[in-house]
Amino acid sequence: MSSRDQAVAAILAQVALAGDGAVLGLALAYVAVRTLLKFTFTSSSLRTIANTPSLSVSDLRSLLSSSDDDQQQQHSNESPKLVFVHGVVEAKANVDGSWKSMRSGALVSHESGDKAVIIQRTQSCIYNEWRGLFWWTSDLRRLLPRDSKSQGSSSFRMVPFVVAESGRWPSSDYVIVNLGGSRHPLPLTTVYHQLQPVNVTAYTFLQTLFGHEYPVGVLDEEKILPLGKDISAVGLCSLKNGILEVKSCQDLPYFLSEMTKDQMVADLAFRTKLLLWGGIVFGSLSIGILGYAVLRNWSRWKEWRLRRQARRANLVAENEAAAQLAAEEERETVPDGELCVICLMRRRRSAFVPCGHLVCCQSCAISVEVDRMPKCPVCRQPVRNSMRIYDS
């Protein structure tokens, strides 16, 4: 680790331990709350998927038709049912039996030549890692959002596709996949991956010297969802105009996946245990650290309050002693040469530092000290403080 990284780590440690660990405790509490929220979502998804019926495509129509008969046409739209269906990917134009099936209903990958229903092409820039002599300029730019055009570009093409029963197509039934509004990850297959270096120009030296980021390579990727791929869909299925359709459920972490139902349940069960114990550990640490911080700050506050009360008591005692001394000085007869040059009532008792002139009583010397620009009333030299002079 370099000296700069050590300094950054030391600063972060000081910030995290500020307030006797209160900042660290709050951060751990935030992580614990987020972990428990994820645990709630994952455990709910686990129960939902475990109770979801796993059906074939042909059984979906009979299930939805029987439920529609039970409703006795009380609603104009059938309520969708959550189902788990497994099949193969096919283009909709190849199975609908219309004139569209006479032409190709699938996309063709530009790189591999494979037929697919989804093609995603991504071109992203790889930037240099060195920060240059003025590394802080790069750190400031990293705090700002970079323009998406400088990051790269992405293209997404899709044709309507269905999930059909494996080995029984085209005579089998199928269910249309509706990706509208879905943000779930798609089980795409990478068919092209290439990194092309960027030619260095004369201007690159100045960019490197001042820590400016510049692209050193361009990464091209192409991912597809090929025809005939085994896939599982867990979502809301409905029967619209006699055609089966499945769409994503936002309350579930999966929609289209290569995993089977047992694999999804096992994965969610593992995640649930991990999130539960993670929430317990982070919550316990946050409670312990916050409790320690509260006790330490409470003790410090009580000590500060006791010191403040002691200072107030000492100040009251000093004021009473000064008042008593002033009263005694007012009662005694003071020669004219020893009177205070300001009030002309009390004896000269305080000498100014650094000039050393003994020309004021203690009360007037204090009033001179608290001025905005304290100066000796005799020599007009700046005064730092005053000293009480006692007769032997």
Side-chain angles (χ1 to χ4, degrees):
M1 183 181 293
S2 62
S3 58
R4 176 182 171 275
D5 294 335
Q6 291 178 357
V8 172
I11 293 174
L12 293 177
Q14 291 179 359
V15 172
L17 297 177
D20 291 320
V23 176
L24 179 60
L26 292 175
L28 290 176
Y30 174 76
V31 173
V33 171
R34 290 292 302 271
T35 303
L36 292 177
L37 290 177
K38 290 182 180 179
F39 162 75
T40 304
F41 174 76
T42 306
S43 59
S44 177
S45 302
L46 174 61
R47 291 190 300 268
T48 302
I49 293 180
N51 297 327
T52 300
S54 180
L55 304 171
S56 61
V57 179
S58 58
D59 294 335
L60 291 177
R61 186 177 296 275
S62 60
L63 175 65
L64 296 177
S65 299
S66 62
S67 63
D68 183 60
D69 294 338
D70 294 339
Q71 291 177 0
Q72 297 179 359
Q73 306 296 331
Q74 292 181 0
H75 302 282
S76 59
N77 296 326
E78 296 97 354
S79 58
K81 288 186 172 296
L82 186 65
V83 295
F84 185 95
V85 61
H86 184 80
V88 295
V89 176
E90 292 293 343
K92 183 178 181 299
N94 296 337
V95 298
D96 57 6
S98 63
W99 60 271
K100 295 181 181 180
S101 61
M102 301 299 296
R103 62 181 183 179
S104 177
L107 302 173
V108 179
S109 172
H110 178 71
E111 301 296 338
S112 63
D114 297 335
K115 292 184 177 181
V117 294
I118 295 177
I119 296 180
Q120 182 179 3
R121 183 72 181 264
T122 304
Q123 186 180 57
S124 57
C125 296
I126 308 299
Y127 289 82
N128 67 316
E129 294 289 339
W130 193 54
R131 302 175 184 270
L133 298 179
F134 305 99
W135 49 265
W136 54 269
T137 57
S138 178
D139 286 345
L140 291 178
R141 282 195 307 278
R142 290 190 179 187
L143 297 177
L144 302 176
R146 189 183 298 159
D147 189 5
S148 59
K149 294 182 179 179
S150 63
Q151 287 280 2
S153 60
S154 177
S155 62
F156 186 86
R157 292 187 297 160
M158 183 185 68
V159 296
F161 66 98
V162 302
V163 174
E165 289 191 32
S166 177
R168 297 181 59 185
W169 181 84
S171 60
S172 65
D173 208 344
Y174 61 87
V175 55
I176 299 176
V177 178
N178 185 0
L179 290 179
S182 173
R183 296 185 179 180
H184 296 80
L186 297 175
L188 302 180
T189 302
T190 302
V191 295
Y192 181 71
H193 183 92
Q194 184 179 5
L195 179 64
Q196 299 177 356
V198 176
N199 294 329
V200 179
T201 62
Y203 182 65
T204 306
F205 174 75
L206 295 178
Q207 289 180 313
T208 307
L209 182 63
F210 288 95
H212 289 279
E213 295 181 347
Y214 62 92
V216 296
V218 178
L219 179 63
D220 287 331
E221 283 186 311
E222 188 178 62
K223 298 180 180 181
I224 66 171
L225 183 61
L227 296 178
K229 182 176 183 179
D230 290 335
I231 198 172
S232 298
V234 52
L236 300 173
C237 186
S238 60
L239 190 62
K240 295 184 179 181
N241 298 325
I243 300 177
L244 293 171
E245 183 182 84
V246 61
K247 62 180 181 179
S248 64
C249 179
Q250 300 301 327
D251 296 334
L252 297 178
Y254 303 109
F255 177 37
L256 300 179
S257 176
E258 298 177 347
M259 295 187 295
T260 63
K261 180 179 178 180
D262 294 336
Q263 291 174 341
M264 287 185 183
V265 170
D267 181 58
L268 289 176
F270 174 75
R271 278 202 240 172
T272 301
K273 293 180 181 178
L274 186 63
L275 291 172
L276 175 61
W277 286 107
I280 292 175
V281 171
F282 285 122
S284 302
L285 289 175
S286 64
I287 291 174
I289 294 175
L290 288 176
Y292 171 77
V294 169
L295 291 177
R296 286 283 298 173
N297 286 282
W298 176 256
S299 300
R300 290 183 177 182
W301 180 79
K302 290 195 298 184
E303 293 176 358
W304 172 81
R305 187 178 62 178
L306 292 176
R307 288 196 300 268
R308 185 177 180 182
Q309 292 176 353
R311 286 197 301 269
R312 287 182 176 179
N314 293 334
L315 182 60
V316 170
E318 291 178 358
N319 291 336
E320 291 178 353
Q324 183 177 3
L325 180 61
E328 292 178 356
E329 289 180 351
E330 289 178 356
R331 289 192 297 268
E332 67 177 340
T333 303
V334 181
D336 294 339
E338 296 182 5
L339 286 174
C340 173
V341 297
I342 295 179
C343 65
L344 299 175
M345 295 176 59
R346 293 180 289 271
R347 188 185 297 273
R348 303 175 182 179
R349 294 291 186 183
S350 296
F352 293 111
V353 179
C355 64
H357 286 128
L358 180 62
V359 292
C360 293
C361 62
Q362 187 176 4
S363 300
C364 294
I366 294 176
S367 64
V368 170
E369 287 183 38
V370 298
D371 286 342
R372 186 175 180 181
M373 298 180 63
K375 293 182 180 180
C376 176
V378 176
C379 64
R380 309 304 297 171
Q381 185 177 351
V383 172
R384 290 200 300 267
N385 57 6
S386 62
M387 181 181 297
R388 176 75 163 82
I389 305 299
Y390 296 93
D391 295 333
S392 57

